[in-house]
Amino acid sequence: MGQIPMQSPHLTLPREPSSATQPRTALVLGAGGIRGCAHPGVISVLQQAGVRIDMVVGASIGAMFGLGLAAGIPAERMVETVRVSRPIDILRFYLGGLNPQGKNPIARLLRDAGEGKEFSDLEMPFAVTATDMESGRQVVIKSGPVLDAVRASICLPLFGRPVHLDGRYHMDGGLTDTAPVYVAREMGAERVIAVCLGTNFAAPRWVREKPWARPMLQMLGRQTHAPTGRFPDMLRFTARLYAASCNPPMPAQDADIAIWPDLGPLSPTSMVGAQFALERGFEAGREALAALSPGSH
């Protein structure tokens, strides 16, 4: 999958606060595949510094770690999950249909955070995004069984099995907007801290440069019936996504603080690099603390 370059520097400074009162703060955890292993590092640093988080929004891999945060799972547990997860654990998790009943560390984290829970059972307001396979639009899920919603949000095209919710099939929540700040605003956030990992589904260069490529992909992706969640429908869905992602917007431009871990060339679809991403998350979190005024913690 193509990527767009990271911003530099890797931190967008906050806007001026509108009042002297402590704002309701949302943490938006962005999409990015294996790059999302930076999230526990950022969360750990913010928690240790006493930064108050009132609500959390997750897209794709951000939904998994966002569920941990919203469910009250200690940051140290999420950090440890990344540290003990081997590439084979990550591969088995995806090949197993994102099954939270599996025995690997990722499955255990999801099970402990969300088994048998509705969104309303969590310790703080939480929302995830997913992509409707028929319309290609990003949808927001913040009610109902939380594990089903997270499974939909982290279901990468061609890797996972689409998740059937409310009569429609859904896939990865970070395909059109990798850091959905607007969801946090709709939930009432007055200050939004977004952890951005780039664009994990930008069209490859040949699609952007060849005038015939986009119409060809649109033709290949034409859907003449409601998606069934089977592999041919996933291929058509993927073709439509590539056709629509020739000029993806830069994520989180309207966040108050945007944190960009320096993840270099690490691909979202890699099965290795979790430890590297985690350490970059720690570094980015520490850098972000300087942008948070003492009174805003």
Short mmCIF file of all heavy atoms in Angstrom, two decimals, residues 148 151-152 161-171 227-229:
data_model
loop_
_atom_site.label_atom_id
_atom_site.label_comp_id
_atom_site.label_asym_id
_atom_site.label_seq_id
_atom_site.Cartn_x
_atom_site.Cartn_y
_atom_site.Cartn_z
N ASP A 148 -17.32 -6.55 18.48
CA ASP A 148 -17.70 -6.63 17.07
C ASP A 148 -17.30 -5.34 16.34
O ASP A 148 -16.82 -5.38 15.20
CB ASP A 148 -19.21 -6.85 16.94
CG ASP A 148 -19.64 -8.25 17.33
OD1 ASP A 148 -18.76 -9.14 17.43
OD2 ASP A 148 -20.84 -8.46 17.55
N ARG A 151 -13.50 -5.31 15.88
CA ARG A 151 -13.13 -6.24 14.82
C ARG A 151 -13.37 -5.64 13.45
O ARG A 151 -12.57 -5.80 12.53
CB ARG A 151 -13.91 -7.55 14.97
CG ARG A 151 -13.42 -8.45 16.09
CD ARG A 151 -14.27 -9.71 16.21
NE ARG A 151 -14.34 -10.43 14.95
CZ ARG A 151 -15.47 -10.71 14.29
NH1 ARG A 151 -16.64 -10.30 14.77
NH2 ARG A 151 -15.43 -11.37 13.16
N ALA A 152 -14.48 -4.94 13.28
CA ALA A 152 -14.75 -4.28 12.00
C ALA A 152 -13.72 -3.20 11.72
O ALA A 152 -13.23 -3.07 10.59
CB ALA A 152 -16.16 -3.68 12.02
N ARG A 161 -11.65 -11.03 7.45
CA ARG A 161 -13.00 -11.29 6.95
C ARG A 161 -13.90 -10.11 7.33
O ARG A 161 -13.93 -9.70 8.49
CB ARG A 161 -13.53 -12.57 7.56
CG ARG A 161 -14.89 -13.00 7.02
CD ARG A 161 -15.40 -14.20 7.79
NE ARG A 161 -14.48 -15.33 7.70
CZ ARG A 161 -14.50 -16.22 6.71
NH1 ARG A 161 -15.39 -16.10 5.75
NH2 ARG A 161 -13.65 -17.22 6.70
N PRO A 162 -14.63 -9.52 6.35
CA PRO A 162 -15.52 -8.40 6.67
C PRO A 162 -16.49 -8.75 7.80
O PRO A 162 -16.91 -9.90 7.94
CB PRO A 162 -16.26 -8.17 5.34
CG PRO A 162 -15.34 -8.70 4.29
CD PRO A 162 -14.66 -9.87 4.92
N VAL A 163 -16.82 -7.74 8.59
CA VAL A 163 -17.68 -7.94 9.76
C VAL A 163 -19.09 -7.44 9.44
O VAL A 163 -19.27 -6.31 8.96
CB VAL A 163 -17.10 -7.21 10.99
CG1 VAL A 163 -18.03 -7.37 12.19
CG2 VAL A 163 -15.71 -7.74 11.31
N HIS A 164 -20.07 -8.27 9.70
CA HIS A 164 -21.47 -7.96 9.40
C HIS A 164 -22.10 -7.29 10.61
O HIS A 164 -22.24 -7.90 11.66
CB HIS A 164 -22.21 -9.25 9.04
CG HIS A 164 -23.51 -9.03 8.35
ND1 HIS A 164 -24.72 -9.27 8.94
CD2 HIS A 164 -23.80 -8.57 7.10
CE1 HIS A 164 -25.70 -8.99 8.10
NE2 HIS A 164 -25.17 -8.57 6.97
N LEU A 165 -22.47 -6.02 10.45
CA LEU A 165 -23.10 -5.26 11.53
C LEU A 165 -24.33 -4.54 10.98
O LEU A 165 -24.24 -3.85 9.95
CB LEU A 165 -22.14 -4.21 12.10
CG LEU A 165 -20.87 -4.71 12.81
CD1 LEU A 165 -19.96 -3.53 13.13
CD2 LEU A 165 -21.23 -5.48 14.07
N ASP A 166 -25.45 -4.68 11.65
CA ASP A 166 -26.67 -3.98 11.26
C ASP A 166 -27.02 -4.18 9.79
O ASP A 166 -27.44 -3.24 9.08
CB ASP A 166 -26.55 -2.49 11.57
CG ASP A 166 -26.41 -2.21 13.06
OD1 ASP A 166 -26.99 -2.97 13.85
OD2 ASP A 166 -25.70 -1.25 13.42
N GLY A 167 -26.84 -5.41 9.30
CA GLY A 167 -27.25 -5.73 7.95
C GLY A 167 -26.29 -5.33 6.86
O GLY A 167 -26.60 -5.48 5.67
N ARG A 168 -25.10 -4.82 7.21
CA ARG A 168 -24.13 -4.39 6.21
C ARG A 168 -22.74 -4.91 6.58
O ARG A 168 -22.45 -5.13 7.76
CB ARG A 168 -24.11 -2.85 6.09
CG ARG A 168 -25.48 -2.27 5.74
CD ARG A 168 -25.43 -0.75 5.71
NE ARG A 168 -24.78 -0.24 4.52
CZ ARG A 168 -25.40 0.01 3.37
NH1 ARG A 168 -26.70 -0.21 3.25
NH2 ARG A 168 -24.76 0.50 2.33
N TYR A 169 -21.89 -5.05 5.55
CA TYR A 169 -20.53 -5.53 5.78
C TYR A 169 -19.59 -4.33 5.93
O TYR A 169 -19.69 -3.34 5.20
CB TYR A 169 -20.06 -6.42 4.64
CG TYR A 169 -20.65 -7.81 4.72
CD1 TYR A 169 -21.81 -8.14 4.01
CD2 TYR A 169 -20.05 -8.79 5.51
CE1 TYR A 169 -22.36 -9.41 4.09
CE2 TYR A 169 -20.60 -10.06 5.59
CZ TYR A 169 -21.75 -10.37 4.89
OH TYR A 169 -22.29 -11.62 4.98
N HIS A 170 -18.67 -4.48 6.91
CA HIS A 170 -17.74 -3.39 7.22
C HIS A 170 -16.31 -3.91 7.23
O HIS A 170 -16.05 -5.07 7.54
CB HIS A 170 -18.06 -2.79 8.59
CG HIS A 170 -19.41 -2.16 8.68
ND1 HIS A 170 -20.56 -2.90 8.89
CD2 HIS A 170 -19.81 -0.86 8.57
CE1 HIS A 170 -21.60 -2.08 8.92
NE2 HIS A 170 -21.17 -0.85 8.73
N MET A 171 -15.40 -2.97 6.90
CA MET A 171 -13.98 -3.27 6.96
C MET A 171 -13.26 -2.13 7.65
O MET A 171 -13.87 -1.25 8.27
CB MET A 171 -13.42 -3.53 5.56
CG MET A 171 -14.04 -4.74 4.87
SD MET A 171 -13.03 -5.42 3.55
CE MET A 171 -11.78 -6.27 4.53
N PRO A 227 -22.74 -6.20 -1.33
CA PRO A 227 -21.59 -7.03 -0.97
C PRO A 227 -21.98 -8.18 -0.04
O PRO A 227 -22.85 -8.03 0.81
CB PRO A 227 -20.66 -6.05 -0.25
CG PRO A 227 -21.06 -4.69 -0.73
CD PRO A 227 -22.54 -4.80 -0.97
N THR A 228 -21.32 -9.30 -0.25
CA THR A 228 -21.58 -10.48 0.58
C THR A 228 -20.48 -10.74 1.59
O THR A 228 -20.61 -11.60 2.45
CB THR A 228 -21.71 -11.73 -0.31
OG1 THR A 228 -20.46 -11.96 -0.99
CG2 THR A 228 -22.83 -11.55 -1.32
N GLY A 229 -19.36 -10.02 1.46
CA GLY A 229 -18.23 -10.26 2.34
C GLY A 229 -17.29 -11.33 1.82
O GLY A 229 -16.28 -11.64 2.46
#
